[in-house]
Structure formats: structure tokens, C-alpha cells
């Protein structure tokens, strides 16, 4: 068992605690669900467990193909041991199918399959609503240098290729998703590939995932749009990834069967 130290940071979905080994932290996945820049909130029992397991599976798979991530290992149902990084203040959004803010901003028809993946940059700032920015903003305000941004751009498209194949194989469309990257400590990095690490999480909280046949939502849009059971959707993703094995307080259920979800309004 790894002893947790002081709280380093708390966000909308996760808490970071200091870990005993220098340069590492414990990432705890909460059950909190938020939408519309934190205007809609609820606590959904078991959500953190599912996101922890799904993100661990995906980040481990990316590590195996040479995409360096902050993940060291999952240590229990809700927590991961990670490398502590300085987060670059940019959210990298990769879009394969038009939906969400893209359709509203540019009057693109919902569900339009893009000819090639679209990469957008958003300044990571909740109080400003994570505004869309251009490369020129990134360079002008020193959010990231040219070499680092070019490296991350290539990583984003590599990750997209891999995840599209992974999800297509289990009957899911990867519509779009958000990535974050961080800078590792100098003594932990021998190359650019070691220095720039994929961080945060990849889960149904950070991806839009549609069933390939029905286009039923299997992601946080279930909560955003009141489409039914969030837990049922996340469980279906975990079931198709073949990782819903261990015992937990999130009882596996069939996707077609309605389920009662405990939601505590904040």
C-alpha cells in the first residue's frame, strides 16, 4: 500500500496527492460529474472507479506502443500512481466527427464525418471557459514552444489513429476527445519523448463515444443531455474493452437493461 501525502491539487473529477517517492503523485478519481463549465453538477456513485480502470487500460496500451504517459500503475480501484508533471496550459481536442461546439460555431451538420482529423487548441482556464486559441496565441504568450508543440501535434494524431482502431474493434465510434500533456522533471527525461508526457486521463469523461450501429452515446453526453444512466454507458465501454472483471461496488449490468443510479445533487 502506498501512503498518501498532502493534497497537491483538486479538480472537477480528480484529486492529486503527494506520494512517498520524489517526482510521483497519487491520482484519485472522484465520483463527481460536471458539465457546461461546472454549471451542472452531480455525484454519481462508481463513476470514479470506472474512469480509473478505463483510463489505466488505455494509457497502459499507449505506453506499450511508445507514447510516453504519466501513468506508472493503478494501485487500487480509485487511484493511480503517476509521474508528477507540469501541465502545459492547453487542451488538445481531436475531432473525427462533427458534434458539440464545432457544429454550433461553424453551422456544421451534426454527425458529419470529417475528411481528416481536426486538431483544436483551447487555453486551459475554467474561469474563461477554456477558449479556443490559435498557434500564434500559444507562441505569443509562451504557453508552449515550437518544438514542443510540433512534437505534441504528432503525438495527438498517433494517439487518435491508435484509439480509433481500438474502439472500432469493439463497435464504438471515437467521435472526439481531449488530451493534456505535461513536462517531466529534467532528471527524469533523456529525450523529448521522455520529457513530454501524456497526462490527465482518457475515459468516457474526456471522449465522445458512440455505438457504431445505433450511435447511442456512451460518454459524458449522457449526463450533459439527460439521456439516461451514465454508469450504464461507462460500464458498456469497460465491458467491450474486456476489463470489467474485478469485484467492486459498481455492479456490472447489461447495456439494454435500465438501472437505478444514485445521484446526489450538489
Amino acid at each position: 500500500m502506498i501512503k498518501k501525502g498532502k493534497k497537491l491539487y483538486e479538480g472537477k473529477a480528480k484529486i492529486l496527492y503527494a506520494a512517498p517517492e520524489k517526482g510521483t503523485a497519487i491520482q484519485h478519481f472522484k465520483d463527481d460529474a460536471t458539465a457546461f463549465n461546472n454549471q451542472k453538477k452531480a455525484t454519481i456513485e462508481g463513476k470514479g472507479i470506472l474512469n480509473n480502470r478505463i483510463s489505466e487500460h488505455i494509457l497502459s496500451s499507449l505506453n506499450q506502443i511508445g507514447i510516453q504517459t504519466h501513468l506508472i500503475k493503478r494501485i487500487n480501484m480509485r487511484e493511480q500512481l503517476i509521474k508528477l508533471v507540469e501541465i502545459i496550459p492547453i487542451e488538445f481536442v481531436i475531432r473525427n466527427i462533427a458534434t458539440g461546439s464545432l457544429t454550433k460555431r461553424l453551422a456544421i451538420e451534426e454527425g458529419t464525418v470529417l475528411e481528416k482529423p481536426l486538431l483544436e487548441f483551447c487555453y486551459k482556464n475554467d474561469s474563461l471557459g477554456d477558449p479556443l486559441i490559435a498557434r500564434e496565441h500559444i507562441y505569443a504568450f509562451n504557453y508552449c514552444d515550437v518544438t514542443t508543440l510540433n512534437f505534441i501535434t504528432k503525438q495527438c494524431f498517433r494517439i487518435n489513429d491508435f484509439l480509433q482502431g481500438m474502439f472500432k474493434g469493439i463497435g464504438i465510434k471515437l467521435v472526439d476527445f481531449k488530451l493534456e500533456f505535461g513536462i517531466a522533471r529534467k532528471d527524469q527525461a533523456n529525450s523529448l519523448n521522455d520529457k513530454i508526457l501524456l497526462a490527465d486521463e482518457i475515459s468516457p469523461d474526456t471522449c465522445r463515444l458512440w455505438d457504431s450501429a445505433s450511435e447511442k452515446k456512451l460518454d459524458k453526453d449522457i449526463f450533459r443531455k439527460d439521456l439516461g444512466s451514465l454508469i450504464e454507458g461507462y460500464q458498456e465501454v469497460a465491458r467491450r474493452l474486456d476489463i470489467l472483471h474485478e469485484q467492486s461496488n459498481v455492479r456490472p449490468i447489461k447495456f439494454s437493461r435500465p438501472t437505478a443510479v444514485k445521484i446526489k445533487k450538489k
Side-chain angles (χ1 to χ4, degrees):
M1 183 177 177
I2 301 174
K3 185 178 179 181
K4 282 191 291 194
K6 67 176 182 178
K7 184 191 294 187
L8 302 176
Y9 167 82
E10 181 167 1
K12 290 178 284 189
K14 295 181 292 295
I15 305 173
L16 286 186
Y17 296 96
E21 186 178 343
K22 186 178 179 181
T24 65
I26 295 170
Q27 180 169 256
H28 175 94
F29 287 75
K30 302 193 295 184
D31 282 340
D32 293 3
T34 63
F36 310 119
N37 200 24
N38 216 27
Q39 293 179 25
K40 182 178 182 180
K41 303 177 184 179
T43 298
I44 302 179
E45 188 176 346
K47 170 180 166 288
I49 293 172
L50 287 164
N51 279 346
N52 180 29
R53 185 69 182 94
I54 292 169
S55 187
E56 180 246 352
H57 173 78
I58 292 175
L59 294 188
S60 295
S61 298
L62 289 170
N63 277 329
Q64 291 173 13
I65 64 164
I67 303 288
Q68 299 299 315
T69 81
H70 73 168
L71 176 70
I72 298 173
K73 64 179 179 178
R74 181 168 58 94
I75 53 181
N76 56 48
M77 290 193 300
R78 285 192 179 272
E79 294 173 331
Q80 299 173 0
L81 181 65
I82 61 171
K83 296 174 185 176
L84 196 57
V85 298
E86 181 182 348
I87 293 291
I88 296 168
I90 302 168
E91 293 184 348
F92 299 86
V93 180
I94 301 93
R95 300 181 182 276
N96 298 306
I97 298 172
T99 191
S101 63
L102 180 63
T103 61
K104 295 174 184 176
R105 280 188 275 119
L106 302 176
I108 307 298
E109 185 178 352
E110 170 88 10
T112 299
V113 178
L114 304 179
E115 187 175 338
K116 60 181 181 180
L118 174 65
L119 175 61
E120 295 181 330
F121 311 113
C122 296
Y123 178 47
K124 185 175 165 60
N125 187 309
D126 285 342
S127 63
L128 297 177
D130 302 324
L132 193 67
I133 57 175
R135 282 179 177 266
E136 288 75 13
H137 294 101
I138 295 171
Y139 302 145
F141 302 114
N142 297 315
Y143 298 145
C144 183
D145 61 45
V146 175
T147 301
T148 298
L149 188 59
N150 287 340
F151 175 79
I152 290 175
T153 296
K154 291 178 182 177
Q155 295 288 78
C156 285
F157 289 122
R158 281 192 66 201
I159 292 166
N160 185 51
D161 285 344
F162 178 80
L163 293 186
Q164 276 193 299
M166 170 187 284
F167 284 117
K168 185 176 181 180
I170 57 173
I172 293 175
K173 293 180 182 180
L174 178 61
V175 176
D176 59 35
F177 61 105
K178 182 262 296 182
L179 298 175
E180 294 184 25
F181 291 82
I183 310 292
R185 282 172 32 203
K186 290 182 180 178
D187 62 346
Q188 293 181 326
N190 299 316
S191 67
L192 197 61
N193 198 45
D194 297 324
K195 178 184 175 185
I196 312 300
L197 303 181
L198 177 63
D200 193 48
E201 65 177 296
I202 300 180
S203 73
D205 263 15
T206 63
C207 304
R208 279 192 173 96
L209 304 170
W210 296 354
D211 178 80
S212 295
S214 67
E215 296 197 341
K216 187 168 186 176
K217 309 298 187 289
L218 303 172
D219 55 70
K220 199 164 73 169
D221 272 351
I222 298 171
F223 175 71
R224 289 189 188 100
K225 301 178 180 181
D226 297 316
L227 298 177
S229 167
L230 185 79
I231 288 296
E232 183 176 324
Y234 285 27
Q235 283 184 326
E236 178 65 9
V237 173
R239 185 191 67 78
R240 294 193 195 187
L241 288 170
D242 198 27
I243 56 175
L244 200 63
H245 301 308
E246 64 188 36
Q247 298 239 337
S248 73
N249 65 351
V250 182
R251 183 174 57 87
I253 54 176
K254 292 182 180 179
F255 187 51
S256 58
R257 183 186 304 165
T259 182
V261 178
K262 184 179 179 183
I263 300 181
K264 302 174 185 176
K265 295 290 181 183
K266 292 188 174 181

